[in-house]
Amino acid sequence: MTAAVRVLALAKHYGEDEALIRAVDDVDLEVPAGESVVVVGPSGCGKSTLLQLMGGLDRPTSGEVWVEGRRVDGASERMRARLRRDHVGFVFQDFHLMDELTAVENVELPALLAGTPSRQARRGAIALLEDVGMADRERHRPAELSGGQKQRVAIARALVNRPTVLLADEPTGNLDSTATTGILRLFDRLRAGGQTLIVVTHDQRTAATADRMVSMRDGALVEDVALPSTATSAADILSVGTRE
Amino acid sequence: MQQEVVLALLAKEPSHGYELRARIERGLGPLAAGFNAGQMYVTLGRLEQAGMVTSTREASVERPERRTYELTAAGRERVEEWLTDVTWPRPDLTNFHLKLVVAAAGRLADPVEVIASQRRELVRRLREAQRAALAEPDGSDASLLLEGVVLRIGADLTWLDACERSWGAAR
Amino acid sequence: MSRLRLCLRLAARDVRRRAGETALLFTALAVAATTLTIGLVLHGQTAAPYDQTRQRTNGPDVVAALFPAPNQTVTPTDRARLREVAAHPEVSASSRAFPTTWTSIEAHGISGVAEVQGRDTSSSPVDRPQVVSGRWVGRDGVVLERAFARAMGVSVGDSVQLGGRAVPVVGIAVSAALPPYPQLCTIGCILDQPGWFSAEPGLVWATRHRVTGLDTPQQPLVWFQYLALHDPSAAPGFVQRYDNGGPPAGRPELTAWQDIAARQAEQLANERIAVAFGGTLLVMLALATLVVLVGGRMSDEVRRVGMLKAAGASPGFVTGLLLTSYLAIGAGAAMVGLAVGRLLSPLLVGISAGLLGHVGGTSVTFTNAAVVFGAVLGIVVLAAAVPAWRAARTSTVRALTDSGHRPRRHRLLVALSARLPGPALLGLRLTARRLRRAALTGFSVAVAVCAGTVVLFAQSSLHAERGNAGGPADPQVAQLHTVTTALTLLLAVMAMVNLVFVTRSTAVDARRVLAVARTVGVSPAEAAVALGVSQLVPALIGIAAGFLAGAALFHALSSSHPTTPATAQIVGLGLLTVGITVALTAIPARWEARRPIAEILREN
């Protein structure tokens, strides 16, 4: 089975000679379909760059990027655009919603741009907003939404064309603890539904919920572990005895 | 469970032992699984000795759950004090730090490795707690408590990162 | 002192950082200043130049013209009747009777008809033509009336063929005793030669001897005499009473000075309308540009002020800094405007060639300069004062976080665009984001196309008028042409400035939106098309409006029958405008669209 996303010897360099910065340094990574991977590391370790390269938002200096069995790194901008339209959904830390459109209009935009008839696109958008728990705010503009709500709208937008892979760059970076919990629940549901997830984060909680954790430092992968599944109940953890 | 919780449960009105027990179980909800009723009666006994609670027997029955417990004035005072008390458990990181120090000094183990293992354990615990939190309904007491656990483990992990940077550089 | 140096350094640094915008602001202010200068100079031209001319040349109250009966010459009886009129009790003074006839004139390859009047001297009790260059006829030379001289392209020292003979032009003069060239024949002409039927003669003075020598049976002599009345305002009544006395043959024909004045005023009015309208358009455009430019800078300025305040600058320092940069720009623009205005003004006062307006020509007076400076600096101080006042009022924190103008939502456009294909959808939504800017684009294009259309109309009318090849230029149409060309140049500059600025800011604003659109699958080509569409939609509306306005304007301005320019020309103008708009938009758009998305999003 072809992997959803695969990178081989991927590298992204900036500058030259003494000023050379290896943002991503010879990374190999393969993500099968349906898996949820989290990429962690200190700030400046290159995890965001890696994600952008995987999503075709940036050109690598060298190496290969394959999405759904199609080679992406050398493709034209037009082909990459098509890829983003049909196979890859991207969620940004800064949301990047259009201020003058309502939530539902933001979500249906990619569908409209892909040529979906307007009524169908609208229906799909409303359904997705329900999925992310934002159905009652569909007519609100981004300025009227909190950070967590905006992020949920952004996730809905990334999913509207049913991409195979969802890439999220610090999705909980700008959110408080409660909003983070909301997003984590959402990701949980997506995972249960079989969505391939690749999430870049420096938040411990987000990292703890994935199936697989990849650590980066100075542009290179240093660790790649599968996280064991657990079945602990709340009561076990919160031992409420009558001791003092 | 702290003594004062039991005292506070009696603040409104005196009650029987079994009533008290029922109240506690209700309040804990799903966390009530770990609750031990026997311990509660032991606590009540100690409180009586300390003069915070009085109990009266019901006729000739000698069973703790049939006794009626009531707060004394001292008990009431204690409850009020407790409500405004702001003591908080102190984080205790010194032991771990000492572990690293002696490991390094005696060349018994690589501090960075020690930190890494501890990290892995904490990550496992964090994962457990987070999963458990997500399994609970949104906004429930359990999920709130688990959020607290998760955040504190997260804080410890952040500190371990700092330790790693510090001890790693010292090499 | 060090604070002053710091102030200057910060101001200079800021100008360098926003060089492009500052240049645009400067240009807009300069154009506004130029227009104001021209307007003031023209206004400084006496409001009633004919009155002034009449006064200075002692113009007549009544012009008496004695025409012979057809195919006959003027008899002594006729001349006696002329003397009778001159002896009327209401007449206070009169000139001699001057012999006048019509003959051919040729100079520099242009051939026309001249009305030649014999006067050995320019002094006279009534009507003293003012020599503006050269001297009077002297021995054997001729003096041309100034407007005619301009139309023929003749100056002092040239030699012209008058009635087939070469004569030197020794002078150029102005008189109030005749209707403005080319309307001389409203007083009466005899043009019996073949081909002269529709000719428009101009006035030439020569010696009596020469004129009497030009007397032929086909072109008999006509006698003109100029009269002054005791009561100049009674001239029309005088003329009317005299006209009621029988058939005109053999009797002098009288014309009151008010009629002549009316014709002069009419001609002047046409020219004034053209300049006034063009000038108003220009000022409107300049002001609209200024509003957008200054408004666009406003939030930037407020933030800058906030930063300075946060760093500890006093309100006085901050105000001083703002004023320094803006005043420097304003003063420079005012000076450029005055200089350019001074250069352009002479082009626009040609038609008053037949009249004496300003003694010193078209110079910019001290008052004019002061007004222009005042106006420009006033605008500039306002532009500086608003952010200063706002920043002084709001807290530093709010000034720092002022995010400026938010894009507004237009439900109708959003709903409408949902049904269009991708690029058009994006393009329309981009337009909707900044409707005011789109309106400015449309307005600029409309103004430029309007001006271009008027020029095309003027061109084709001019060509149609020049039906008789080689004739002297019809001053009115030629003048209109000059005026519109000059104004069109200025308008085109302004419109280009606007278009460049609006396109640039639209592209910058659209950058982020298009980058996000690309993350959801829009290709670079589609993004470029979207940007093009967002500019083209208002531009096309502007072109249509411009054509209609230009045609209407020309019809309103031109007294002659306007000729519609060739369809090819109109289409050409439209295509040129579309081409420029597309080029200004598409080129940066295409280049932008090739940049990696991550880079663009990082910047923002």
Side-chain angles (χ1 to χ4, degrees):
Chain A
M1 188 169 66
T2 35
V5 175
R6 188 154 68 101
V7 302
L8 286 173
L10 194 62
K12 175 79 179 172
H13 298 162
Y14 296 107
E16 283 181 350
D17 301 332
E18 307 94 42
L20 182 69
I21 301 174
R22 289 181 227 269
V24 172
D25 196 9
D26 196 27
V27 169
D28 291 322
L29 184 65
E30 186 169 328
V31 179
E35 188 168 85
S36 107
V37 178
V38 83
V39 182
V40 298
S43 57
C45 70
K47 46 194 202 290
S48 289
T49 314
L50 178 63
L51 203 71
Q52 286 161 5
L53 290 170
M54 285 200 266
L57 300 186
D58 208 349
R59 286 182 199 276
T61 314
S62 65
E64 301 171 18
V65 179
W66 297 77
V67 176
E68 290 274 294
R70 267 178 275 251
R71 183 130 174 219
V72 168
D73 51 286
S76 67
E77 260 305 320
R78 203 169 59 84
M79 264 198 62
R80 286 202 238 181
R82 288 287 166 268
L83 197 80
R84 282 193 290 275
R85 198 183 66 182
D86 303 327
H87 298 288
V88 174
F90 211 98
V91 178
F92 299 93
Q93 185 179 7
D94 297 330
F95 326 124
H96 286 309
L97 297 173
M98 286 184 66
D99 294 316
E100 72 275 13
L101 299 180
T102 60
V104 70
E105 282 161 359
N106 263 294
V107 174
E108 74 183 357
L109 187 60
L112 288 177
L113 289 172
T116 318
S118 59
R119 210 163 300 189
Q120 193 181 332
R122 176 58 61 108
R123 270 204 307 265
I126 294 178
L128 269 169
L129 280 176
E130 267 171 34
D131 279 347
V132 302
M134 291 288 297
D136 56 337
R137 305 253 184 196
E138 67 175 45
R139 285 188 200 283
H140 287 213
R141 288 168 63 181
E144 299 155 15
L145 300 174
S146 71
Q149 291 168 332
K150 279 195 275 220
Q151 195 59 290
R152 287 198 245 176
V153 173
I155 294 172
R157 181 180 69 183
L159 292 171
V160 77
N161 281 339
R162 298 184 197 284
T164 353
V165 183
L166 183 66
L167 302 173
D169 191 352
E170 303 279 4
T172 55
N174 283 340
L175 309 181
D176 65 23
S177 175
T178 315
T180 302
T181 311
I183 299 296
L184 291 181
R185 280 188 201 277
L186 180 53
F187 278 170
D188 223 23
R189 276 211 310 279
L190 289 174
R191 252 209 332 272
Q195 178 80 47
T196 314
L197 272 179
I198 306 180
V199 178
V200 157
T201 185
H202 66 259
D203 175 46
Q204 317 281 5
R205 300 172 59 188
T206 318
T209 55
D211 298 329
R212 175 177 168 196
M213 175 151 66
V214 165
S215 307
M216 281 182 76
R217 180 165 322 145
D218 295 329
L221 284 187
V222 294
E223 205 181 2
D224 186 351
V225 289
L227 298 175
S229 52
T230 56
T232 331
S233 72
D236 287 339
I237 298 175
L238 307 165
S239 49
V240 182
T242 50
R243 300 186 312 281
E244 304 232 329
Chain B
M1 181 168 305
Q2 282 177 299
Q3 286 182 345
E4 285 81 359
V5 174
V6 177
L7 276 179
L9 283 168
L10 289 170
K12 209 158 119 197
E13 63 195 350
S15 60
H16 293 285
Y18 64 82
E19 281 171 336
L20 268 179
R21 194 177 114 200
R23 263 188 232 155
I24 292 178
E25 278 175 351
R26 254 203 316 274
L28 285 179
L31 302 178
F35 175 57
N36 184 344
Q39 274 299 96
M40 186 188 81
Y41 290 113
V42 168
T43 311
L44 280 169
R46 288 213 197 104
L47 286 172
E48 210 177 333
Q49 275 179 342
M52 308 259 188
V53 156
T54 53
S55 71
T56 40
R57 243 184 18 202
E58 192 189 87
S60 58
V61 183
E62 184 49 59
R63 296 181 61 79
E65 58 257 30
R66 301 301 293 266
R67 287 186 146 219
T68 311
Y69 297 90
E70 194 178 345
L71 272 190
T72 61
R76 232 170 264 286
E77 231 183 86
R78 181 78 198 101
V79 169
E80 275 185 41
E81 255 175 46
W82 178 66
L83 284 172
T84 55
D85 182 29
V86 288
T87 2
W88 194 258
R90 288 233 168 110
D92 184 13
L93 307 168
T94 327
N95 280 331
F96 184 73
H97 180 72
L98 287 174
K99 192 198 276 191
L100 295 174
V101 166
V102 301
R107 289 187 196 282
L108 302 168
D110 181 8
V112 173
E113 273 307 313
V114 174
I115 295 171
S117 330
Q118 187 66 68
R119 237 186 148 272
R120 278 192 286 274
E121 168 58 17
L122 283 185
V123 165
R124 190 193 64 79
R125 274 215 227 160
L126 173 61
R127 187 171 160 72
E128 271 182 5
Q130 181 65 74
R131 287 226 141 279
L134 289 183
E136 294 294 326
D138 204 6
S140 65
D141 286 346
S143 82
L144 182 61
L145 284 167
L146 285 166
E147 190 175 325
V149 171
V150 161
L151 286 171
R152 288 173 80 160
I153 300 180
D156 288 337
L157 276 170
T158 310
W159 182 65
L160 282 182
D161 283 341
C163 289
E164 191 198 29
R165 282 196 293 276
S166 170
W167 285 91
R171 265 209 272 206
Chain C
M1 207 55 220
S2 69
R3 289 245 303 268
L4 181 61
R5 275 220 310 272
L6 175 66
C7 188
L8 289 173
R9 192 151 42 100
L10 284 176
R13 198 71 64 75
D14 181 57
V15 165
R16 216 180 314 153
R17 186 169 61 98
R18 294 189 286 186
E21 255 183 60
T22 313
L24 291 175
L25 186 64
F26 185 87
T27 313
L29 281 170
V31 168
T34 309
T35 317
L36 201 57
T37 311
I38 295 177
L40 283 171
V41 167
L42 287 185
H43 185 72
Q45 293 258 301
T46 328
Y50 181 72
D51 285 342
Q52 216 190 48
T53 312
R54 222 169 89 83
Q55 233 181 14
R56 297 243 287 274
T57 63
N58 201 18
D61 296 328
V62 174
V63 175
L66 185 61
F67 287 87
N71 295 323
Q72 295 189 9
T73 57
V74 170
T75 63
T77 337
D78 300 333
R79 291 198 60 175
R81 288 226 186 83
L82 191 59
R83 279 195 291 277
E84 259 173 47
V85 174
H88 197 282
E90 279 184 50
V91 174
S92 64
S94 69
S95 66
R96 293 181 64 187
F98 301 115
T100 312
T101 188
W102 288 262
T103 187
S104 67
I105 183 169
E106 201 185 300
H108 305 308
I110 302 176
S111 53
V113 176
E115 178 175 306
V116 192
Q117 193 172 89
R119 270 169 94 147
D120 290 335
T121 160
S122 68
S123 72
S124 157
V126 182
D127 184 43
R128 280 192 288 274
Q130 172 135 352
V131 176
V132 293
S133 78
R135 57 176 175 84
W136 198 247
V137 298
R139 269 298 158 80
D140 222 8
V142 294
V143 171
L144 262 66
E145 188 265 328
R146 185 161 67 174
F148 189 44
R150 287 251 179 105
M152 294 287 294
V154 165
S155 33
V156 175
D158 290 350
S159 171
V160 300
Q161 294 276 348
L162 195 64
R165 290 231 204 97
V167 279
V169 174
V170 299
I172 296 191
V174 170
S175 162
L178 61 163
Y181 173 77
Q183 298 179 36
L184 243 53
C185 287
T186 49
I187 282 197
C189 293
I190 296 181
L191 300 170
D192 269 346
Q193 300 279 39
W196 282 13
F197 182 69
S198 57
E200 287 167 331
L203 189 59
V204 175
W205 289 280
T207 57
R208 275 181 95 96
H209 178 77
R210 182 179 291 285
V211 174
T212 46
L214 288 169
D215 183 12
T216 63
Q218 295 100 341
Q219 294 295 138
L221 287 181
V222 170
W223 296 85
F224 274 81
Q225 190 168 19
Y226 301 108
L227 313 173
L229 300 180
H230 288 294
D231 180 9
S233 61
F238 181 79
V239 166
Q240 198 171 29
R241 268 174 278 132
Y242 187 78
D243 275 348
N244 284 340
R251 267 181 42 239
E253 289 180 27
L254 304 187
T255 312
W257 71 273
Q258 284 89 340
D259 282 338
I260 301 177
R263 285 186 205 285
Q264 292 278 10
E266 201 182 287
Q267 208 168 45
L268 210 62
N270 286 340
E271 179 223 333
R272 285 279 165 85
I273 291 174
V275 176
F277 196 87
T280 315
L281 266 185
L282 255 184
V283 170
M284 268 166 50
L285 196 56
L287 282 179
T289 312
L290 282 170
V291 164
V292 170
L293 276 175
V294 169
R297 280 162 84 99
M298 199 63 75
S299 63
D300 223 20
E301 293 291 359
V302 171
R303 207 174 313 132
R304 199 158 73 103
V305 168
M307 279 197 268
L308 285 168
K309 275 174 68 178
S314 68
F317 181 82
V318 165
T319 316
L321 177 62
L322 279 172
L323 279 178
T324 310
S325 26
Y326 276 104
L327 279 178
I329 301 174
M335 286 197 286
V336 167
L338 279 169
V340 175
R342 185 163 190 290
L343 278 175
L344 288 181
S345 304
L347 284 179
L348 305 176
V349 299
I351 236 188
S352 318
L355 297 175
L356 297 169
H358 241 48
V359 173
T362 55
S363 64
V364 178
T365 65
F366 187 67
T367 336
N368 289 350
V371 170
V372 169
F373 255 95
V376 172
L377 291 181
I379 296 176
V380 145
V381 163
L382 228 110
V386 175
W389 178 80
R390 269 176 70 178
R393 287 275 304 251
T394 60
S395 70
T396 310
V397 166
R398 275 187 56 197
L400 280 172
T401 54
D402 186 341
S403 59
H405 184 63
R406 279 227 143 113
R408 289 239 315 253
R409 175 187 162 67
H410 298 272
R411 202 181 308 165
L412 209 61
L413 278 173
V414 169
L416 181 68
S417 58
R419 298 180 191 283
L420 298 171
L425 188 165
L426 271 179
L428 209 58
R429 290 205 181 165
L430 280 174
T431 314
R433 265 172 81 88
R434 305 276 183 198
L435 262 189
R436 258 186 261 177
R437 258 195 223 136
L440 185 61
T441 306
F443 183 59
S444 317
V445 169
V447 164
V449 167
C450 174
T453 311
V454 171
V455 168
L456 283 181
F457 267 86
Q459 275 270 21
S460 61
S461 292
L462 194 64
H463 281 296
E465 290 268 333
R466 281 230 182 95
N468 33 331
D474 181 335
Q476 194 189 10
V477 179
Q479 185 54 30
L480 202 60
H481 185 66
T482 317
V483 168
T484 46
T485 311
L487 286 174
T488 304
L489 269 168
L490 280 177
L491 276 169
V493 167
M494 259 327 301
M496 282 290 287
V497 163
N498 264 333
L499 215 55
V500 166
F501 173 73
V502 172
T503 310
R504 208 186 114 253
S505 49
T506 311
V508 167
D509 187 54
R511 206 181 266 169
R512 200 191 68 118
V513 172
L514 290 177
V516 172
R518 281 170 63 200
T519 63
V520 296
V522 169
S523 73
E526 289 169 338
V529 169
L531 198 58
V533 164
S534 78
Q535 286 296 84
L536 262 185
V537 167
L540 285 174
I541 298 178
I543 291 177
F547 275 139
L548 290 173
L553 188 60
F554 191 80
H555 279 254
L557 288 181
S558 176
S559 59
S560 55
H561 298 289
T563 330
T564 323
T567 325
Q569 282 185 321
I570 301 222
V571 170
L573 179 61
L575 286 176
L576 179 68
T577 316
V578 168
I580 293 179
T581 311
V582 167
L584 278 179
T585 317
I587 294 171
R590 195 88 175 130
W591 180 78
E592 281 273 338
R594 295 222 170 277
R595 285 172 67 194
I597 302 175
E599 229 184 273
I600 302 177
L601 289 175
R602 249 201 304 274
E603 273 174 18
N604 288 333

